[in-house]
Amino acid sequence: MAMASDGSWLTTLVDAVVGLMNLIGAPGAGLAIALENLFPPLPSEVILPMAGLAAARGSFTLFEALAWTTAGSVVGAFALYALGAGLGIDRLRALVRRMPLLKVDDVDRTVAWFQRHGGKAVFFGRMLPIFRSLISIPAGVTRMPLWRFGLLTSAGSFIWNAVFVLSGYLLGDQWHIVEEYAGVLQYAVIAVAATALVWFTVNRARRLRGASADSDPA
C-alpha cells in the first residue's frame, strides 16, 4: 500500500498505521484503534478506512479487518473503564469539591442519570466522535457490570467501525468522501458540547453571584 508524504501530522499518522498493518497485518489495525480510544485526537475515521483499503487489496480479509478493529475498540474502552473504576465516585466527589462552579450534587445527579440511561449512553456514545472514548469513564465510575459494558461497547463499536472499514473497502482511494461527512459530525458534536459548557458556566456563575448577594448583610 502506498504512503503519502505531504508532511502533515495526519499523513504521518496514516503512514504509521499503514506501516503497522504492512508489518503485522490486521492486528496492526486493531492496535491502532485501541490507541485511538485512549487518545481521542487520533481520528478513527482515518484509521478505519485504511484497514478496509488494505482488506480490499488483499493484505487480509474484510472479516479480519472488522474483527480486529472491533477488538481494538473494546480493549481501549476497557482501559478507560478501568480508569473510571479506579477513580470511583468518592474520589470524583473529592475532586469536584476543589473545583470552582461545580458541586457534589452535580456528581450525584450525573451518576443517577447514568445508572438509569447508561446502557443507551454507552451504545450510542460509541458512535459519536470524542464521546466514543470518554463514555467509558463514567461507565467505570458507576461500575456498570462488565458483561453489559462489554456487550454494548462491542455492538456500538462494530457499527461505527463497519461504516468506515467498508468505506475503505468499497470506495478505495475515494474513502475521503466519508471522512468529510465524519468531519462535519465531529465539528457538530464539538459545537454542541462547547455550547452546553458555556451555558452551564454562565448559568452557574449567575446563580453563585445571586446567592452571594442574598447572603451579604444589607
Side-chain angles (χ1 to χ4, degrees):
M1 190 185 302
M3 292 183 285
S5 56
D6 65 9
S8 70
W9 74 270
L10 187 56
T11 297
T12 301
L13 170 65
V14 170
D15 289 353
V17 171
V18 170
L20 193 59
M21 287 189 289
N22 286 338
L23 182 64
I24 60 177
L31 177 59
I33 289 300
L35 293 174
E36 177 267 334
N37 276 260
L38 298 174
F39 303 101
L42 296 178
S44 63
E45 57 270 26
V46 172
I47 297 171
L48 291 168
M50 291 295 98
L53 186 57
R57 293 179 175 178
S59 299
F60 39 80
T61 68
L62 178 61
F63 174 80
E64 288 176 310
L66 292 171
W68 278 102
T69 55
T70 300
S73 295
V74 173
V75 169
F78 267 108
L80 292 175
Y81 178 101
L83 178 64
L87 177 62
I89 295 175
D90 291 338
R91 286 194 181 95
L92 184 58
R93 286 178 179 139
L95 286 173
V96 166
R97 287 190 184 98
R98 301 191 187 110
M99 295 181 180
L101 302 181
L102 293 179
K103 301 178 182 179
V104 174
D105 288 345
D106 296 328
V107 174
D108 295 336
R109 282 194 295 269
T110 302
V111 167
W113 181 91
F114 200 87
Q115 288 172 338
R116 292 194 303 271
H117 306 289
K120 293 189 288 291
V122 169
F123 176 73
F124 290 108
R126 294 300 304 176
M127 292 175 259
L128 289 175
I130 301 176
F131 286 100
R132 63 189 309 270
S133 295
L134 299 180
I135 196 63
S136 301
I137 296 176
V141 170
T142 58
R143 299 298 180 96
M144 176 182 283
L146 292 174
W147 68 267
R148 188 170 184 237
F149 175 76
L151 183 62
L152 292 167
T153 297
S154 298
S157 297
F158 178 80
I159 294 172
W160 174 267
N161 292 356
V163 169
F164 291 98
V165 170
L166 287 171
S167 74
Y169 187 82
L170 298 174
L171 297 176
D173 292 332
Q174 299 302 313
W175 62 268
H176 295 283
I177 297 171
V178 176
E179 182 199 5
E180 291 173 5
Y181 287 104
V184 172
L185 175 61
Q186 179 169 328
Y187 289 132
V189 169
I190 293 173
V192 170
T195 301
L197 179 60
V198 170
W199 178 87
F200 172 84
T201 301
V202 171
N203 189 55
R204 181 57 58 85
R206 285 175 176 172
R207 288 186 181 182
L208 290 176
R209 283 200 300 269
S212 177
D214 291 342
S215 63
D216 287 340

